[in-house]
Amino acid sequence: MSEGYADKNALVAAESNVFDRGLDAAIATSVVGFTIGMLTLGKVVGLDTSGTALGEFFLTLLGVVVGGIGLVGLFSYANVVPVTSRRVRGIALGMIISVTGLTVLTSAVDLNLATVLGLILLVQAAAIATAGITSRLGLVDSEPNASAGLLAGLVFGVIGLFIGAALGGTLVGFDSVAWIAVALVAALVLTGIAVVPREDVGSTLPAAIIIGVLGLTIVTAMIGLGWQWNPENIEGGFTGGTVIPLFTLFGSLLGSWAAAKSRAGFGARGRQYGAFFVINLNAFLMVAVMISIVLFVTVKGIGYAFHGFTIGAASALVLLTPVLVLALDHARSPAGTSEWHSAARQFFRVLPLAAVGSLAALLLSIVLTGEAFEFPFTYTVLVNRENVVLDTLFSVTPGLKIGNLLVLISGLLLFVYVIRQYGSLRNVGSLSDRLETVRMVIPLAIGIMAVLNVGFLVFGKTPFGLPLAETVGFAVIVASTLGAGALAALPLAGVIAGDGPTVENATDRAQWFPVGVFGGLAVLVAVVFLEPVAGVNPTLGPANLVPMVALAAAVVSLATAVVLAVARRSVEETVPSRVLGNQVVLGLAATIGFVVLLALHVALTGADFTIVGVTIGTTGTLSWPMTMSPYIPLGAEPGGILPAVVGTIWLVIGASLFAIPLGVGAAIFLTEYAEQGNFTSVVEVATNALWSTPSVVFGLFGAAFLIPRLGGDESLLAGQLVLGFMLLPLVLITSREAILAVPDEYRDASAALGVDQWETVRSVVLPAAMPGVITGVILGVGRIAGETAPLILVLGSTLNSTRAIDVLGGFRFLDHPPFIVNEALTQASASLPTQVWGVIGAGVSGSQSMGWASAFILLMVVLSFYTVGIVARKYFRRKLDYE
């Protein structure tokens, strides 16, 4: 039924299946109800919300849904994200219709959110019952079995037993034995309805009854906002604010299962589709449980951690761009086969893209409306040993000023990602003599600017009293900037030259693209670095010349990419399509690269750049006092924990630099070179024992052995070495297992080609084992980043430090041994684990809120290291798959 063809007596034809579309809408309604139930359970929105506030909530939800689904639809139309399943499209359309209907309903009728949740359950019940009856009457093509099965009847009977017990106790009271009879009757009735009739009725009607009862219970306020039950034998009780969301979640899960089974036409296919749907929902629930652990720390510490947090919507969009690209890359991956589970796979692949699109739509609405998003809350500080509650807010402002650092970080990440998609245009098209001359001039221009850079650094801006920086430097910068702009326009000129934009032009002039893109970027990089050294910043009217040219080059490059992307849609031949694809990638890379150079110009010259109200400045709109400022002992407002964050990062970096090379090197020796025998067995036992050793023992070793040999004082270097010793065993164990897992056929094939052993290990074995090695590193870093006991012994418990340790700036070069010293490494430093221990565990130097906030930041730092490791592992796995 769902993907097949219906016969002439069916309700609808295959091309216009109203029955399937209705079930898609029912599944979508279940998803919407489940989402709202989660939001109410998490206290994001109150069940008593009504009137204008409820209408605004659903209007916001509608914007989020339309933004997410619209973005996926846009990429699907552009053939970037493969969404071929009619189920996914139907569910997406059903979500838009469902949320639109709820928005209209709450705007026209005065209801509270609890009543709306009850109505959602009633709609689900009606849709499921209709689906079962329609199938039973033969109005649609389906393949139900003779019965839903004894297992389904048993499950529905257990659910009916609980519902009957609750209803019986409510009607006749739990003091009477009659409530047991009511429970048994409900269980027998639901079991009979599930087992006796055909599967289409047995799967839908009991589910509809259960969901309908839950919905009526909420709508009629039998369990309302003021409802409360306090059992005698249980400490605490149940309230309507908790039970109503739980009813909604359970009803939505049951409704989505029944609708999914009906959507697949019952039978074996329906059971598989329904089971797959439930399995994925259970997986989401497991993830939700894990997330709840993180949320516990987050809820306890996020108030203090985000006090005074402010970010502009434009800055947030810039930070969101790399996440959008990653979500797009995930959605582009193949979504499985055309089997029954392909629709669900496609749905879960596009879900992150839809979520990012929803957030982007929300940020764009802030920019367009000019109304800031503000979330007021309170946080607690310790003043004179007493807790004082202060008001603050989390705000997203409509400001269009973006800090250059945000643009640089996001732009560089995007540039690296995009340029990695580039194949090659070598030997494609023709190379004219004039273009060859341009290629020869580019290195010459860059060399001249490099010589000027060195000259101005060594001899100053006015060597021998001559104002060379203001004359020669100025002329070179202006000429090179204009030349970079001309090079950036070269690809577009090659496409539109002659008879206009054609595929033939793009293919024949393919060599114009690498020359224009890489040449323009290289020349402008040299210009940007020459400007601050020469002290020259030429202007063009009211604006600076270099950023204006960089912006114009970015616009031209983007236009080139768009023109070629549109042309590629009509190309069916493989080779021209591949050529156009590489040219589109170069156009996008050039766009990002020129924007990054614009931000780099702002950073190096200190001059803000504004165009059409958007400003890239030396300072942005991001303000996070907790992580961007040190502790202020006498400040009216609490300071931050920047020194502890910096100290933790340096601890992990130092430990990783110490342990990873040693661990991987030892694993290579033990696996590839050492004779397998007693020696390797002893090493294996020793490493396993070291990994199982309590962390405090490592701390005692550091305090007794390392500190006396590192100056006698607690120091950052001692902490790095102790954590490195803790990380070393796991890196060795996992690296050895990963290397052993590489098939011997790889080594034999390399040896057969005459490659020596080290080259085989370096170029064949290690790349194949790298995902496993990185997995060990991820696990180890996650452990050492949160270790507290060893750091207390070797690093101290420095709290509320007013200065972050400067490791890079601490290096000094000497003319006698040891020639290089770093005083910062021999000093104690604050760290997040000791900060959390000091504030929460020992109860000193701050409020409990500050301790939970420190724990939250520590969790974010650890998750950041995890993210870096997971991305690296995914990169190596993909590289192995491609090669």
Side-chain angles (χ1 to χ4, degrees), residues 547-579:
M548 281 294 296
V549 171
L551 180 63
V555 172
V556 171
S557 300
L558 181 61
T560 306
V562 171
V563 170
L564 294 176
V566 173
R568 190 187 180 197
R569 288 181 55 87
S570 61
V571 175
E572 298 181 356
E573 299 180 18
T574 303
V575 174
S577 177
R578 186 172 299 174
V579 171

Side-chain angles (χ1 to χ4, degrees), residues 638-842:
I641 55 172
L642 177 63
V645 175
V646 174
T648 301
I649 293 174
W650 279 118
L651 282 169
V652 173
I653 292 176
S656 301
L657 292 177
F658 170 75
I660 294 175
L662 287 178
V664 176
I668 293 173
F669 171 77
L670 293 171
T671 307
E672 301 295 323
Y673 293 95
E675 182 179 354
Q676 303 302 308
N678 293 332
F679 172 73
T680 54
S681 298
V682 170
V683 172
E684 183 176 356
V685 172
T687 52
N688 289 327
L690 280 175
W691 175 242
S692 304
T693 301
S695 60
V696 69
V697 175
F698 286 94
L700 292 172
F701 163 75
F705 182 80
L706 293 178
I707 288 181
R709 290 160 177 80
L710 296 175
D713 295 324
E714 298 165 337
S715 64
L716 178 65
L717 181 58
Q720 291 174 333
L721 291 176
V722 166
L723 295 183
F725 282 122
M726 293 179 59
L727 177 60
L728 182 58
L730 183 61
V731 174
L732 174 56
I733 294 170
T734 55
S735 299
R736 189 180 178 199
E737 293 297 328
I739 294 173
L740 287 172
V742 177
D744 289 336
E745 288 80 0
Y746 288 19
R747 300 174 178 86
D748 296 339
S750 180
L753 295 174
V755 180
D756 59 45
Q757 186 175 7
W758 168 242
E759 187 65 24
T760 298
V761 171
R762 187 184 66 84
S763 59
V764 177
V765 177
L766 269 183
M770 194 56 67
V773 174
I774 295 176
T775 300
V777 172
I778 294 172
L779 295 174
V781 167
R783 177 186 175 183
I784 65 172
E787 285 293 346
T788 306
L791 294 183
I792 294 174
L793 294 173
V794 299
L795 190 64
S797 55
T798 303
L799 299 172
N800 302 331
S801 176
T802 58
R803 184 178 63 87
I805 193 165
D806 184 11
V807 174
L808 295 179
F811 283 101
R812 289 192 301 112
F813 296 91
L814 305 176
D815 57 357
H816 55 81
F819 301 110
I820 300 177
V821 296
N822 191 323
E823 296 179 355
L825 292 175
T826 59
Q827 297 175 357
S829 171
S831 67
L832 287 171
T834 56
Q835 180 100 14
V836 175
W837 172 83
V839 177
I840 294 182

Side-chain angles (χ1 to χ4, degrees), residues 44-62:
V44 176
V45 59
L47 289 171
D48 57 347
T49 305
S50 61
T52 304
L54 185 59
E56 292 177 352
F57 165 74
F58 277 106
L59 189 62
T60 303
L61 184 62
L62 178 62

Side-chain angles (χ1 to χ4, degrees), residues 1 11 18-24 26-27 123-144 198-205 207-208 255 257-266:
M1 172 193 64
L11 181 64
V18 177
F19 180 78
D20 285 354
R21 298 289 80 80
L23 288 173
D24 288 337
I27 296 175
V123 171
Q124 293 180 46
I128 294 169
T130 302
I133 295 173
T134 303
S135 173
R136 185 66 183 86
L137 296 177
L139 298 178
V140 294
D141 183 20
S142 60
E143 300 176 353
R198 208 170 67 171
E199 183 188 15
D200 45 11
V201 174
S203 298
T204 56
L205 198 56
W257 169 80
K261 192 173 183 181
S262 304
R263 177 67 169 81
F266 304 101

Side-chain angles (χ1 to χ4, degrees), residues 205-298:
L205 198 56
I209 292 174
I210 294 172
I211 298 171
V213 170
L214 296 178
L216 285 174
T217 303
I218 299 174
V219 171
T220 58
M222 290 182 60
I223 294 181
L225 298 177
W227 179 85
Q228 188 170 358
W229 178 41
N230 298 308
E232 296 180 358
N233 298 327
I234 299 178
E235 184 177 354
F238 301 91
T239 63
T242 302
V243 173
I244 292 175
L246 291 177
F247 278 8
T248 305
L249 294 177
F250 177 75
S252 298
L253 288 175
L254 184 59
S256 61
W257 169 80
K261 192 173 183 181
S262 304
R263 177 67 169 81
F266 304 101
R269 188 181 180 89
R271 288 196 299 273
Q272 288 178 336
Y273 190 48
F276 186 78
F277 205 91
V278 171
I279 289 171
N280 280 277
L281 289 175
N282 285 333
F284 273 112
L285 287 177
M286 292 175 62
V287 173
V289 171
M290 291 186 290
I291 292 176
S292 65
I293 299 174
V294 177
L295 287 179
F296 175 77
V297 178
T298 301

Side-chain angles (χ1 to χ4, degrees), residues 21-219:
R21 298 289 80 80
L23 288 173
D24 288 337
I27 296 175
T29 304
S30 300
V31 173
V32 172
F34 185 85
T35 303
I36 299 175
M38 290 291 291
L39 293 176
T40 55
L41 191 63
K43 308 299 182 183
V44 176
V45 59
L47 289 171
D48 57 347
T49 305
S50 61
T52 304
L54 185 59
E56 292 177 352
F57 165 74
F58 277 106
L59 189 62
T60 303
L61 184 62
L62 178 62
V64 169
V65 170
V66 171
I69 295 175
L71 183 65
V72 175
L74 177 64
F75 285 118
S76 176
Y77 173 78
N79 291 330
V80 176
V81 178
V83 183
T84 58
S85 173
R86 291 167 55 192
R87 295 174 183 172
V88 174
R89 296 176 180 177
I91 293 175
L93 181 61
M95 289 184 65
I96 295 177
I97 294 174
S98 300
V99 179
T100 302
L102 291 173
T103 304
V104 174
L105 175 65
T106 53
S107 300
V109 183
D110 187 13
L111 301 171
N112 60 29
L113 186 55
T115 304
V116 172
L117 291 177
L119 292 176
I120 290 176
L121 293 178
L122 291 177
V123 171
Q124 293 180 46
I128 294 169
T130 302
I133 295 173
T134 303
S135 173
R136 185 66 183 86
L137 296 177
L139 298 178
V140 294
D141 183 20
S142 60
E143 300 176 353
N145 292 333
S147 172
L150 187 60
L151 179 61
L154 181 62
V155 172
F156 281 123
V158 172
I159 297 174
L161 186 67
F162 284 104
I163 293 179
L167 290 176
T170 303
L171 295 175
V172 301
F174 288 101
D175 296 334
S176 173
V177 185
W179 71 270
I180 300 178
V182 175
L184 293 175
V185 169
L188 292 174
V189 168
L190 287 179
T191 302
I193 296 175
V195 175
V196 176
R198 208 170 67 171
E199 183 188 15
D200 45 11
V201 174
S203 298
T204 56
L205 198 56
I209 292 174
I210 294 172
I211 298 171
V213 170
L214 296 178
L216 285 174
T217 303
I218 299 174
V219 171

